[in-house]
Amino acid sequence: GENVEQHPSTLSVQEGDSAVIKCTYSDSASNYFPWYKQELGKRPQLIIDIRSNVGEKKDQRIAVTLNKTAKHFSLHITETQPEDSAVYFCAASFLSGGYNKLIFGAGTRLAVHP
Amino acid sequence: DADVTQTPRNRITKTGKRIMLECSQTKGHDRMYWYRQDPGLGLRLIYYSFDVKDINKGEISDGYSVSRQAQAKFSLSLESAIPNQTALYFCATSDPGTGVYNEQFFGPGTRLTVL
C-alpha cells in the first residue's frame, strides 16, 4: 500500500555539522517529493521539493537528492545552525482514484546544539 | 497576506460530543485538506476536496465527516468524539497550478482534546 518511511526519528548534531534525513516510498509512480519543516508550536512549511525528472536540487544550505530506482530520497542540511532545530517531514505523491495526494513520513526531530 | 485560518485553536470536549473544526482561506485555492498530527505518526490525511462539489476520503476518515461550504471554507466534524481522536488537526490548501502537484499551505492547527 501507500507508505513513506522516514529515518531517523530523532537526530542530534553540533552546530556547523551536517544533517541527513532519509525517506523511502512504496509507489514507483510517485513523482513529487516535498520536505516540510515544523518549528515548535508552528505550522509545517515547505522548505524544498523535488520532482521525479531531476536527481538533485539545492537551495543554499539545504539539498534534496532522489534515487527513483531505489525509491528513496534524502534531505541534506549543511553548516547547521540552532534555528534549524525543528521537526522535518518528507512526503511523496500518490495517485489514487484519479487524485494526486501526499503521504507524509513520521517526521524527524532535529536538534542542533550550539 | 493571503492565509489559511482555523477555528478554534484549542478545544477540550467530552466523549460522545459532536464537534466541528473550521477552516477558511483567502489564498483563492481550489484544493483543501484536513490532516491530523500525532507524535511519531506524522501527518495523516483525513479528507480532501479539489473543488466545492468534490469530497474524498483520505487514509483515516472513519469517525470524521467534512463539508465544503464554499471555495474558501472546509469544515471537519467529529460526530461522536472519542479519546483517541485527541490530536493536532491541520487544514491545508493548494493550487492545482499546471496540474503538477504543488506546495500545500497549512493553517495554524487546532489542538483537540477529548476527555
Side-chain angles (χ1 to χ4, degrees), chain A residues 81-93:
Chain A
Q81 301 169 4
E83 52 264 38
D84 294 328
S85 296
V87 178
Y88 292 81
F89 294 100
C90 64
S93 64

Side-chain angles (χ1 to χ4, degrees), chain A residues 2 31-32 36 38 41-46 49 51 87 89 93 96 98-107, chain B residues 3-4 33 35 37 40-43 45 48 50 54 56-59 88 90 100-104 106-108:
Chain A
E2 305 162 349
N31 59 12
Y32 175 67
Y36 283 80
Q38 185 181 25
K42 301 289 182 66
R43 67 187 80 183
Q45 292 190 300
L46 181 75
D49 57 14
R51 301 184 193 277
V87 178
F89 294 100
S93 64
S96 174
Y99 294 99
N100 234 333
K101 58 184 179 180
L102 289 180
I103 301 295
F104 286 82
Chain B
D3 200 7
V4 183
Y33 313 81
Y35 292 92
Q37 182 177 14
L41 294 177
L43 294 157
L45 183 63
Y48 58 106
F50 279 14
D54 176 72
N56 304 283
K57 292 183 177 181
E59 305 169 75
L88 183 58
F90 284 102
V100 179
Y101 213 83
N102 287 313
E103 176 179 2
Q104 291 191 12
F106 285 82

Side-chain angles (χ1 to χ4, degrees), chain B residues 17 60 88:
Chain B
K17 294 291 187 180
I60 53 165
L88 183 58

Side-chain angles (χ1 to χ4, degrees), chain B:
Chain B
D1 284 343
D3 200 7
V4 183
T5 58
Q6 293 181 233
T7 56
R9 296 293 312 279
N10 289 282
R11 181 72 183 267
I12 300 174
T13 191
K14 294 182 178 180
T15 297
K17 294 291 187 180
R18 184 178 188 276
I19 184 167
M20 179 181 290
L21 309 183
E22 299 187 343
C23 177
S24 295
Q25 53 112 348
T26 56
K27 289 191 167 291
H29 291 169
D30 286 329
R31 298 180 176 182
M32 298 187 74
Y33 313 81
W34 275 105
Y35 292 92
R36 68 176 277 175
Q37 182 177 14
D38 300 277
L41 294 177
L43 294 157
R44 292 183 292 167
L45 183 63
I46 307 172
Y47 271 96
Y48 58 106
S49 169
F50 279 14
D51 65 43
V52 175
K53 297 180 180 179
D54 176 72
I55 300 290
N56 304 283
K57 292 183 177 181
E59 305 169 75
I60 53 165
S61 59
D62 287 349
Y64 302 95
S65 63
V66 292
S67 173
R68 184 81 183 267
Q69 301 95 322
Q71 187 210 33
K73 295 185 182 298
F74 192 37
S75 299
L76 176 72
S77 293
L78 287 66
E79 298 302 325
S80 179
I82 56 177
N84 76 359
Q85 291 177 314
T86 293
L88 183 58
Y89 290 84
F90 284 102
C91 174
T93 73
S94 70
D95 185 343
T98 61
V100 179
Y101 213 83
N102 287 313
E103 176 179 2
Q104 291 191 12
F105 295 86
F106 285 82
T110 295
R111 186 165 296 280
L112 176 66
T113 302
V114 183
L115 301 175

